[in-house]
Amino acid sequence: MDAKYLAGATEIGEVLGADGNTVNQWKRRYPDFPEPVLVLSGRPLWDIREVVGWARRTGRPVAKPDYEAPVRSAGVRSAGVRSTAAERSTVLPGKDVRAPEGWTNGVAESRL
């Protein structure tokens, strides 16, 4: 399983030109709809390539066939490597919000 191809109902809807509710109806209505490859926090995730294949086999249009999950690097770190609050930042429109230098309070740090 390649994480860049994981998609939830909302993302599948975008790829197939439908909304997330329609995708949820398809998974209940059509026994040949692909099974989720992962359930994360109660949210099913599919391999988008399987869903696109299903859509093509069943004659459904594919609006965005080249979908790849967005890459998120903020807050992601290698196993065993701890980053400090000052190393992490959140980028907001027009602002770059960083923790004050030297701020290492475990409680406050975990909320960044």
Side-chain angles (χ1 to χ4, degrees), residues 13-77:
E14 290 175 20
V15 170
L16 301 184
D19 63 33
N21 290 329
T22 300
V23 173
N24 287 320
Q25 289 175 11
W26 288 340
K27 74 178 185 179
R28 287 189 301 272
R29 190 175 295 164
Y30 301 108
D32 62 336
F33 190 82
E35 290 292 319
V37 295
L38 179 68
V39 176
L40 184 62
S41 298
R43 182 179 182 223
L45 298 172
W46 290 264
D47 183 320
I48 194 66
R49 297 168 296 184
E50 292 178 11
V51 178
V52 167
W54 172 84
R56 288 184 172 144
R57 285 190 306 277
T58 59
R60 287 175 176 76
V62 178
K64 297 179 182 178
D66 298 327
Y67 171 86
E68 287 186 8
V71 175
R72 296 186 64 187
S73 59
V76 175
R77 51 196 147 106

